[in-house]
Amino acid sequence: MRRNWIKLYVDQCLRGSMFDELEDPAERFVFFGVLLLAGDSAIDGKVCLTEGLGYTDEQIAALLKIDTGLLRRTKAKMVAADKIRVAENNIIEVVNWAKYQSEYRLSLIHISEPT
């Protein structure tokens, strides 16, 4: 389901392990970019064109307007830190997506209720 917004945890982003796992600010941008692409996907929490087909690294780099080398380096770090999983068909799944983005549907229901 495509989303209008995604949730970021301020404390975890500023003081959590992300700064140790992704020391380069450009790498942190890639992580946020992957979260945004997962939020823009028709498949919840996955960066992909269809349910069975992911983007190439070159396509993702173009979407994020970054160098392919930066994407590949950061992808490897995100996999090692268990932030994402990458399937053979290059579908990127955000680990814990359902846990951290769980309030989206509840917010949509609340917004659509008449006051």
Side-chain angles (χ1 to χ4, degrees):
M1 157 181 49
R2 286 191 163 76
R3 297 163 180 260
N4 293 321
W5 53 267
I6 60 167
K7 189 169 32 170
L8 295 175
Y9 284 83
V10 174
D11 186 55
Q12 289 298 314
C13 288
L14 290 174
R15 291 173 281 283
S17 61
M18 181 178 56
F19 276 69
D20 296 327
E21 295 158 349
L22 304 172
E23 294 176 9
D24 182 343
E27 294 171 347
R28 291 192 292 273
F29 167 77
V30 173
F31 178 61
F32 293 135
V34 166
L35 293 177
L36 292 169
L37 291 172
D40 192 44
S41 175
I43 315 286
D44 246 10
K46 294 184 180 182
V47 179
C48 58
L49 290 161
T50 67
E51 199 165 327
L53 179 64
Y55 291 96
T56 65
D57 287 346
E58 292 78 14
Q59 289 171 316
I60 294 172
L63 288 168
L64 297 178
K65 296 181 170 93
I66 60 170
D67 179 73
T68 305
L70 171 62
L71 175 67
R72 289 183 177 140
R73 179 179 80 232
T74 307
K75 255 177 65 176
K77 288 183 179 187
M78 290 188 297
V79 167
D82 200 32
K83 292 188 176 309
I84 63 169
R85 292 185 196 103
V86 182
E88 287 181 29
N89 48 7
N90 211 32
I91 293 175
I92 297 173
E93 178 183 1
V94 177
V95 174
N96 292 324
W97 179 264
K99 176 181 175 183
Y100 291 112
Q101 302 301 326
S102 60
E103 295 173 10
Y104 189 80
R105 287 193 179 116
L106 294 174
S107 295
L108 290 179
I109 292 167
H110 179 70
I111 289 169
S112 63
E113 288 178 355
T115 54

